Amino acid sequence: MFTRMNDSPSDKGLRVFANRLRVRFAPSPTGFLHVGSARTFIFNWLYARHNGGTMILRLDDTDVERNTEASVQSIFEGLKWLNLGWDEEYKQSERLGLHREMANAIFEKGVAYRDFTPAHAEDSERSGAQGPWLFNPGMPELSRPESDRRAAAGEPFAMRFRVPRGDARPVSFVDAVYGEQSKSTADIEDFALLRSDGMPTYHLASCADDAGLSISHVIRGQDHLTNTFKHILILEAAGIAPPQFAHLPLLIAPDGSKLSKRRHGAVVSVTTYRDAGFLPEAFVNFLCLLGWSPKDNRERMNGKELVETFSLEGINRANAVVNFKEGATSPVNAQAEETFDPKAVWLNAEHIRALTVEDLSNRLTPIVREAGFNVTSEKMLQITPLVRERIKLLRDVLTVADFFFVDRLPAYDPAELIPQKGDADMALRALRRAHEVLAQTEFKHDPLDQALRAAAQELGLKAGQMFQPIRVAVCGRKNAPPLFETLEVLGRGTTLERVKQAVEKICTAV
RNA sequence: GGCGCUAUCGUCUAGGGGUUAGGACGGAAGAUUCUCAAUCUUCAAACCCGGGUUCGAUUCCCGGUAGCGCUACCA
């Protein structure tokens, strides 16, 4: 919890939220919503809800060069799909005054200095990771009078934090996940607070806003673990007590590299999961299981259970692999299930089966309609129980139940109509007899079952030998939902028509 | 290069000084229903390496190795 200390840069912007648990998710709008970011959002949200705290969304948009409105929209789109919500919303770019005040306060205190080195035109092959380590990436510090003179002359400068070096000391904090952390100031460079265009850097803006918004717990990716030492330094200089930190292990690709859209494709974007037919609750569940465990062997959990069970103690420290298939193409196609982490797909199927028929039906209907089929809600309600245990992703309904939606069956191989250990003649006999039986049997499960079994016996066929040709005739393929339920939904007219067509198909094929 | 973090089945993980190292996904085999799916049963599959501490380490400590992160006027 932030407690105000003396010396704070300003009272403006430092609203005091009395002793409440407040967390934030602070994405920078430079791309789509990444699965790793989504998980960070979820963990923050869970922590807030579990403890009755406040969830804040803050757009960290201080990098004017890279931010785009499209990205803002795409992040909202992803978050909206997650369907978790948040309580307060801010934009860093609207809080610049606060950031500058903090920078100036630190400068006036003598803990920061101006660096007039021109900004490097950043290039991709920034190999600064080699060579000797520089405590000051820019230029040596100028005397204050000269610094003032050049600043007054209008020369642009970046503002750097002067990290104690000759009198190096350890900077430490306790991370809720990684435990005690410590690093010597001798190993921390003079990082920038303000860019030469006057915009704050991430470090400064983040600290100022976390303080300003009274963030009590900063839960973020482990890539910020070492940055935290800088943040502690900033906070110290500004006279503000640091929040509680909890760093999350990172989500990585099967090859151990970090998730990147360029290298790994659409599987790293949240909306891809939405478009492929994942249930948001299943996706959230899946992400939770990456780097966190309820420790009681539970896998499928709904939102309520997650909120009840979630704790920072359950978070582990090793990076987690999102086990998708490398090099997969568009996930919204027939191979979708091969593309995603198998566990995500399985969990989705689990959640689908846990849905009520009405709920599932409501989620399936728009997908079917968008695919160009006219289907009434009533009919979807009938079809849903037949597909529920056969689909893993919502979109699978299009391939599993297609024959319910079309007027004419797509072409299929007449050989499919021939039953096990049978021939074309057997198929013909079965179908002709089926046509007669179906013409006069009530289209309900039990009567159909009895009549068709009796017919099979009459013809000296095994039940399967009777049913299979009918199944293929009405579904156009061998693998389909149970026959009698299917016929019931299809109705007599369609059924008889398709059986008749099957008979003709065999005749012309022979 | 420097600094930091991490290391249990292919993947996600539980566990922890003495265990047959547990579960899940995926894989294999079988049972079951009119096919498929679902369900059930069974099987294969792991403590990175080397020292130390200890009666005993996968577990604790140190070192190595590997991976990841930071080392930007990106976040």
Side-chain angles (χ1 to χ4, degrees):
Chain A
M1 196 67 56
F2 269 111
T3 45
R4 294 279 303 287
M5 294 173 66
N6 46 12
D7 235 49
S8 65
S10 156
D11 282 330
K12 274 190 300 177
L14 266 182
R15 289 197 276 148
V16 177
F17 298 90
N19 260 19
R20 297 242 354 253
L21 185 147
R22 294 168 60 80
V23 296
R24 89 303 199 271
F25 170 62
S28 70
T30 54
F32 52 91
L33 183 66
H34 191 276
V35 292
S37 307
R39 190 190 58 158
T40 301
F41 175 91
I42 293 165
F43 283 9
N44 271 283
W45 185 89
L46 250 17
Y47 192 63
R49 290 295 172 265
H50 180 91
N51 296 291
T54 304
M55 175 71 196
I56 293 159
L57 172 65
R58 188 183 74 211
L59 261 12
D60 278 9
D61 57 351
T62 53
D63 185 353
V64 233
E65 295 293 308
R66 308 199 311 152
N67 296 330
T68 66
E69 180 56 27
S71 168
V72 173
Q73 288 318 313
S74 130
I75 286 170
F76 273 106
E77 198 184 339
L79 291 179
K80 191 181 150 208
W81 177 65
L82 256 25
N83 201 23
L84 299 176
W86 52 89
D87 306 311
E88 296 173 19
E89 190 178 313
Y90 304 90
K91 251 186 180 175
Q92 268 190 336
S93 57
E94 289 164 358
R95 306 169 59 80
L96 297 175
L98 177 69
H99 310 146
R100 279 176 203 146
E101 276 178 65
M102 187 180 265
N104 289 335
I106 292 172
F107 178 75
E108 288 310 328
K109 205 177 165 188
V111 192
Y113 60 92
R114 301 189 187 100
D115 178 359
F116 295 90
T117 315
H120 298 300
E122 253 352 295
D123 40 51
S124 46
E125 37 84 55
R126 173 184 50 87
S127 53
Q130 305 308 321
W133 184 75
L134 294 171
F135 67 85
N136 179 347
M139 71 195 299
E141 187 174 345
L142 268 25
S143 70
R144 181 65 190 267
E146 178 169 7
S147 170
D148 285 347
R149 188 177 344 107
R150 290 173 67 167
E155 195 176 333
F157 59 87
M159 188 177 288
R160 289 188 183 281
F161 192 96
R162 183 189 300 105
V163 179
R165 212 160 310 279
D167 49 347
R169 60 178 176 87
V171 180
S172 5
F173 67 97
V174 178
D175 188 90
V177 172
Y178 288 90
E180 235 171 284
Q181 301 295 314
S182 182
K183 186 170 181 167
S184 168
T185 53
D187 294 319
I188 302 172
E189 75 284 4
D190 284 1
F191 54 92
L193 256 21
L194 250 30
R195 299 176 232 255
S196 43
D197 63 1
M199 289 294 280
T201 61
Y202 163 76
H203 302 301
L204 202 235
S206 174
C207 289
D209 282 329
D210 286 344
L213 299 171
S214 289
I215 301 301
S216 62
H217 297 255
V218 170
I219 304 172
R220 69 211 328 181
Q222 196 242 41
D223 47 347
H224 288 301
L225 189 61
T226 32
N227 286 333
T228 307
F229 297 107
K230 297 174 189 168
H231 301 170
I232 301 275
L233 251 18
I234 292 175
L235 260 11
E236 263 178 20
I240 296 167
Q244 184 74 235
F245 290 100
H247 287 88
L248 270 19
L250 265 21
L251 258 29
I252 56 178
D255 66 356
S257 66
K258 69 174 183 181
L259 265 19
S260 106
K261 176 135 188 177
R262 223 194 50 209
R263 290 195 47 190
H264 306 111
V267 269
V268 304
S269 170
V270 169
T271 49
T272 301
Y273 291 78
R274 176 197 64 188
D275 298 341
F278 277 86
L279 255 23
E281 56 268 51
F283 182 68
V284 167
N285 190 168
F286 170 67
L287 252 24
C288 283
L289 260 18
L290 257 23
W292 173 78
S293 165
K295 298 189 190 288
D296 60 3
N297 286 340
R298 268 188 295 173
E299 303 280 344
R300 193 191 89 210
M301 285 183 276
N302 60 33
K304 187 164 171 271
E305 292 170 309
L306 288 169
V307 168
E308 279 166 4
T309 319
F310 186 81
S311 77
L312 260 23
E313 288 69 48
I315 295 173
N316 71 10
R317 289 173 284 276
N319 291 170
V321 170
V322 182
N323 200 17
F324 56 79
K325 265 269 209 320
E326 296 258 28
T329 50
S330 164
V332 186
N333 61 22
Q335 301 100 37
E337 290 168 19
E338 316 302 313
T339 306
F340 298 103
D341 188 318
K343 192 152 193 169
V345 174
W346 168 78
L347 255 182
N348 199 58
E350 284 280 300
H351 275 87
I352 283 177
R353 284 177 228 126
L355 254 28
T356 63
V357 171
E358 292 71 24
D359 193 348
L360 215 211
S361 185
N362 288 337
R363 305 209 205 196
L364 256 18
T365 306
I367 291 172
V368 172
R369 290 189 179 147
E370 272 159 38
F373 299 114
N374 285 318
V375 66
T376 62
S377 313
E378 293 68 35
K379 191 164 185 195
M380 265 322 290
L381 225 34
Q382 286 182 289
I383 294 169
T384 299
L386 301 185
V387 302
R388 178 152 64 164
E389 280 171 356
R390 272 163 267 264
I391 60 175
K392 292 181 164 135
L393 303 176
L394 295 176
R395 284 184 64 85
D396 292 344
V397 68
L398 297 175
T399 52
V400 170
D402 57 339
F403 56 87
F404 283 119
F405 309 130
V406 296
D407 292 330
R408 289 193 73 81
L409 241 28
Y412 60 89
D413 182 356
E416 302 273 282
L417 292 159
I418 295 169
Q420 282 286 302
K421 293 179 191 152
D423 52 18
D425 183 58
M426 185 190 282
L428 225 35
R429 281 189 295 139
L431 288 169
R432 282 183 171 141
R433 182 74 188 113
H435 193 89
E436 293 168 19
V437 172
L438 291 169
Q440 53 191 44
T441 306
E442 187 191 357
F443 260 61
K444 288 268 186 267
H445 180 281
D446 290 352
L448 286 168
D449 189 337
Q450 285 161 21
L452 256 14
R453 270 178 211 283
Q457 214 162 22
E458 281 171 38
L459 296 176
L461 299 178
K462 288 173 140 179
Q465 292 177 313
M466 181 79 196
F467 300 161
Q468 197 62 3
I470 305 174
R471 187 194 321 283
V472 174
V474 299
C475 302
R477 78 177 91 91
K478 283 177 170 170
N479 298 340
L483 187 58
F484 311 122
E485 290 89 331
T486 301
L487 295 182
E488 209 180 313
V489 176
L490 241 23
R492 195 193 305 275
T494 305
T495 300
L496 290 180
E497 174 62 21
R498 288 183 185 179
V499 170
K500 197 179 114 209
Q501 282 165 1
V503 169
E504 286 161 6
K505 231 172 157 71
I506 294 178
C507 292
T508 55
V510 169

